[in-house]
């Protein structure tokens, strides 16, 4: 992924927090030059070697899993909010652009076949989504035979993270006046995405200021 030097995020914990919050990602692979992509829920955790890994699952009917090879990297894309930045918001002539946050994760995939590992993966994922309602529904709510039948239609995958790329494109290349102007204009917009980008920009400014 192309990342401008002003927008490159290198804080690992900040990137990982972003993934945890925006964990519905896109698994991208290629077979004989033809790209394939599947939208999937991902969990982020530490493996037995104290390295980061992503876990997920897909329908067994989805043939993408058959092409996963441990020696071939895959790409997982996590996308956050985005917002249009109008040239009207600058004190000089400029062109339109978009502010956004995106993270690309690369890693080597492996199928999860151990029954206990499968159980723990699904248990953690359900609990993370159910939250305070976990007493009303959890993986143990399923009748054992139903659980086994459901597993037959799924393929579980873990991806050991090899590298990360993060673009937090939040107008860091603007001077102070224009940076504050963009925040102010975004806060006037009616959509939630613009409000989110404005919040991220204020956090950036408070933490490190604009970079120009």
């Amino acid at each position: 992924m192309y990342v401008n030097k002003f927008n490159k995020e290198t804080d690992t914990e900040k990137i990982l927090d972003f993934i945890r919050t925006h964990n519905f990602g896109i698994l991208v692979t290629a077979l004989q030059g033809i790209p394939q992509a599947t939208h999937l829920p991902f969990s982020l955790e530490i493996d037995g070697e104290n390295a980061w890994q992503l876990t997920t699952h897909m329908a067994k009917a989805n043939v993408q899993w058959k092409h996963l090879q441990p020696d071939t990297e895959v790409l997982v894309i996590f996308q956050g909010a985005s917002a249009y930045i109008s040239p009207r918001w600058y004190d000089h002539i400029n062109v339109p652009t978009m502010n956004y946050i995106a993270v690309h994760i690369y890693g080597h995939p492996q199928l999860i076949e151990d029954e206990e590992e499968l159980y723990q993966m699904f248990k953690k994922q359900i609990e993370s989504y159910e939250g305070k309602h976990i007493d009303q529904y959890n993986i143990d709510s399923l009748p054992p035979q139903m659980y086994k039948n459901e597993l037959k239609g799924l393929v579980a995958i873990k991806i050991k993270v090899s590298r990360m790329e993060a673009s937090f494109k939040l107008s860091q290349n603007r001077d102070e006046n224009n940076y504050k102007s963009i925040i102010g204009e975004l806060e006037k917009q009616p959509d939630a995405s613009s409000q989110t980008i404005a919040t991220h920009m204020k956090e950036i400014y408070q933490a490190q200021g604009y970079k120009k």
Side-chain angles (χ1 to χ4, degrees), residues 186-199:
L186 284 171
E187 289 180 327
K188 297 176 185 177
Q189 305 309 307
D191 60 294
S193 190
S194 293
Q195 302 300 321
T196 299
I197 290 296
T199 297

Side-chain angles (χ1 to χ4, degrees), residues 68-116:
L68 300 177
Q69 300 295 329
D71 59 348
T72 302
E73 269 193 336
V74 298
L75 166 64
V76 182
I77 299 173
F78 297 98
Q79 177 74 48
S82 61
Y84 173 75
I85 307 301
S86 172
R88 296 181 289 103
W89 302 345
Y90 300 125
D91 61 9
H92 57 279
I93 296 175
N94 212 312
V95 295
T97 191
M98 296 292 293
N99 277 5
Y100 64 89
I101 299 179
V103 171
H104 287 193
I105 298 294
Y106 300 85
H108 296 274
Q110 181 181 341
L111 299 185
I112 301 174
E113 300 176 310
D114 179 78
E115 289 188 8
E116 179 60 24

Side-chain angles (χ1 to χ4, degrees), residues 93-198:
I93 296 175
N94 212 312
V95 295
T97 191
M98 296 292 293
N99 277 5
Y100 64 89
I101 299 179
V103 171
H104 287 193
I105 298 294
Y106 300 85
H108 296 274
Q110 181 181 341
L111 299 185
I112 301 174
E113 300 176 310
D114 179 78
E115 289 188 8
E116 179 60 24
E117 190 174 0
L118 280 170
Y119 171 82
Q120 291 299 329
M121 187 198 78
F122 288 121
K123 181 176 185 293
K124 290 177 183 177
Q125 191 171 69
I126 290 173
E127 289 177 351
S128 70
Y129 283 108
E130 288 293 335
K132 64 181 181 180
H133 303 294
I134 194 63
D135 59 327
Q136 299 175 41
Y137 181 85
N138 57 70
I139 195 169
D140 296 319
S141 303
L142 294 174
Q145 189 57 50
M146 183 179 182
Y147 171 72
K148 291 180 180 179
N149 291 340
E150 290 295 324
L151 281 185
K152 293 177 182 178
L154 300 174
V155 174
I157 304 159
K158 57 185 174 183
I159 301 169
K160 188 170 183 178
V161 177
S162 55
R163 54 196 174 102
M164 299 184 288
E165 296 173 338
S167 180
F168 282 46
K169 186 177 179 297
L170 301 168
S171 299
Q172 296 98 322
N173 60 324
R174 301 301 169 193
D175 60 32
E176 184 171 14
N177 287 338
N178 284 288
Y179 193 88
K180 289 181 176 179
S181 174
I182 293 169
I183 293 174
E185 294 296 335
L186 284 171
E187 289 180 327
K188 297 176 185 177
Q189 305 309 307
D191 60 294
S193 190
S194 293
Q195 302 300 321
T196 299
I197 290 296

